[in-house]
Amino acid sequence: MWIQKLHSLGLLSGSFLLSDTLQELRTYYYHRQHLIEQLATYTHKMQKALRLMNLRLDVAIRDITSKSGLAIVDAIL
């Protein structure tokens, strides 16, 4: 009974055991968070590399309806 009370007050958080299903879900959640952080890092590095090559992809996408915007996208692809 005391252990339940301490758990409800958050004083024994280290001894809380999750079920197998919740442990698996937690693993997937943390893995997904890690993948999202990696994706953001890689995207930032790609944008930085494109800017160093003087390729303004954001301008090309904004101007994609014109022939010059499509030419830039074709050149990149």
Side-chain angles (χ1 to χ4, degrees):
M1 191 168 166
W2 280 101
I3 292 175
Q4 251 183 341
K5 183 67 173 176
L6 291 173
H7 271 294
S8 68
L9 295 173
L11 298 174
L12 286 180
S13 60
S15 65
F16 180 69
L17 297 176
L18 293 174
S19 67
D20 291 339
T21 305
L22 287 177
Q23 285 179 351
E24 187 176 355
L25 286 174
R26 179 187 274 181
T27 302
Y28 287 136
Y29 173 77
Y30 286 129
H31 183 66
R32 181 178 181 268
Q33 287 299 109
H34 180 69
L35 290 176
I36 290 171
E37 289 171 5
Q38 274 186 334
L39 181 64
T41 302
Y42 294 146
T43 303
H44 180 69
K45 286 181 180 181
M46 287 185 340
Q47 287 174 347
K48 186 175 180 180
L50 287 172
R51 285 196 184 266
L52 288 174
M53 292 186 295
N54 202 20
L55 291 172
R56 296 287 311 266
L57 194 58
D58 55 339
V59 174
I61 290 175
R62 238 182 302 159
D63 194 30
I64 202 163
T65 57
S66 69
K67 289 183 181 182
S68 62
L70 290 174
I72 293 171
V73 172
D74 285 338
I76 291 171
L77 295 176

